[in-house]
Amino acid sequence: MLALIGFLMVIFIIYLLMQSKATPAPIFILVPLIAAAAAGSSFVEVSKYVKDGVAVTMPIAVLFMFSIIYFALMSDAGMFDPLINFLVKKAGNNVVAITVATGIIATIAHLDGSLAATLLVTVPAMLPLYKKLNIRPLIMLVIIGSAMSIMNLVPWGGPVARIAAITKVDINQLWHTLIPLQVVGMIIVLAFAAFLGVLEKRRGAGMQAIDVNAATLTAEEQEQNAAKSAKAEALKRPKLVVFNVFLTIGVIALMMFTKIPLYAAFMFGLAIALLVNYPNVKEQNARLKAHAGEALSMATILLASGVFLGVISGAKMLDSMAVTFISIIPPFLGPYLHLIMGVFAVPLGMLLGTDSYFFGLVPVAMSVGSKYGIDPINMANAMLIGKNYGVLVTPHAATTFLAIGLAGVELKEHLKYCMPLLWGLSLVSLFAAILLGIVKI
């Protein structure tokens, strides 16, 4: 019964999100509360679920509020202008060069294994260029998602560390078996980015939007655009570009090389950036108000998703869902269970979330697979490789909302476009792992 309630809850939440029946916040709050009541949880138990769940998403919500305002402020001040102008000059209207560059930047940015840091470095830097060249932000997100997926196999990344803990295998030994796949995966990411660039170019990307639309603007609209441009230009701080770059590098360094919370790094950075770039109190208030709306709306969603996480974990629905899923697989497919789990790793990861997938589903799958002669490491590798491609399309994960918030896209459009492509890449990666002998049939 718990498994049934859990599956129905997740399916209903995804349906409502995809159909845009309501904003995500009330969906993540009300549906889990109804499910908890149906599961027989008391008011006291539900209160604890909510408290525990929100405690998990609170740091990410705070991170989002300060990071989005920080990078928006840097954009206002013109910190990204030299990079954008350089890339535009070098790439011109070469959309393929821009999409491939996105894959390279995201790969390098993810060397620290932090999903949030990769998004916070890559999206704000590349988004203005995508807008200038009329490339859809969804293209950027799916490329970043693919780069994250293959780079997340580093030993200091969360998924590999979880697998090492579950299997009790030395983490470096585990990583050494995955290195060939990472090399092949990087090539796949760049080829994928180039392919998407070709498709976008055929769609008409490569011409600056202002050039495309200028002829259709009325005199009044042109006057309004000129006023907006003048207002935006007044916010630029070209003499502080070098300072802002070093400040941003310092913020990123704090996230990568210290143990302070990620949100604390952006708190410090934002405080300094405001005082240096806009020393006037009225200007500071204006910049905060200009970007607070978007930051707060996304933070609300992140906090609300904590209710979902708290209920599905606290009510033990996840454990029941994992056991039920394994039990329905026909016995004749038992010897191929690891391949089945690898193939469906992305949708399963979307349903369960990272911790629940690795600490709930993987151990159960390893136990059942061993009865059919499947080595536990073989099972773990297949499930690890596939799951990584779902990191940016899990509808109840904080990083998903961070990504769509930074890129300014709707969750529905993000899932519809990115999920099938990333799932397809996971199958390609799994096939490559089989050819390399990392996953054995």
Side-chain angles (χ1 to χ4, degrees), residues 102 106 118-119 122-123 139-149 392:
T102 303
T118 303
L119 291 168
T122 310
V123 177
I139 302 297
M140 175 178 56
L141 290 184
V142 75
I143 293 172
I144 294 173
S146 64
M148 282 180 170
S149 303
L392 211 59

Side-chain angles (χ1 to χ4, degrees), residues 127-172:
L127 183 59
L129 184 60
Y130 272 65
K131 289 182 176 179
K132 273 196 171 186
L133 296 180
N134 195 28
I135 307 173
R136 290 174 294 172
L138 288 170
I139 302 297
M140 175 178 56
L141 290 184
V142 75
I143 293 172
I144 294 173
S146 64
M148 282 180 170
S149 303
I150 199 65
M151 288 305 296
N152 228 18
L153 294 176
V154 292
W156 52 87
V160 175
R162 290 178 175 90
I163 289 296
I166 294 168
T167 59
K168 296 180 174 57
V169 173
D170 179 73
I171 193 167
N172 284 328

Side-chain angles (χ1 to χ4, degrees), residues 255 259-266:
M255 293 190 295
K259 294 183 179 181
I260 71 168
L262 294 181
Y263 59 80
F266 281 102

Side-chain angles (χ1 to χ4, degrees), residues 270-285:
L270 179 60
I272 297 171
L274 271 175
L275 291 173
V276 174
N277 287 276
Y278 305 101
N280 184 279
V281 175
K282 289 185 178 180
E283 290 180 327
Q284 293 171 8
N285 286 330

Side-chain angles (χ1 to χ4, degrees), residues 119 390-405 411 414-415:
L119 291 168
V391 294
L392 211 59
V393 288
T394 301
H396 49 80
T399 47
T400 300
F401 288 101
L402 180 62
I404 64 174
L411 177 63
H414 172 65
L415 294 179

Side-chain angles (χ1 to χ4, degrees), residues 12-22 27 412 416:
F12 191 49
I13 285 176
I14 293 176
Y15 170 77
L16 292 176
L17 290 173
M18 295 293 288
Q19 296 298 318
S20 299
K21 297 296 184 182
I27 294 173
K412 176 174 68 174
K416 280 185 177 180

Side-chain angles (χ1 to χ4, degrees), residues 27-44:
I27 294 173
F28 279 127
I29 294 171
L30 296 178
V31 176
L33 293 181
I34 294 172
S41 299
S42 67
F43 179 80
V44 174

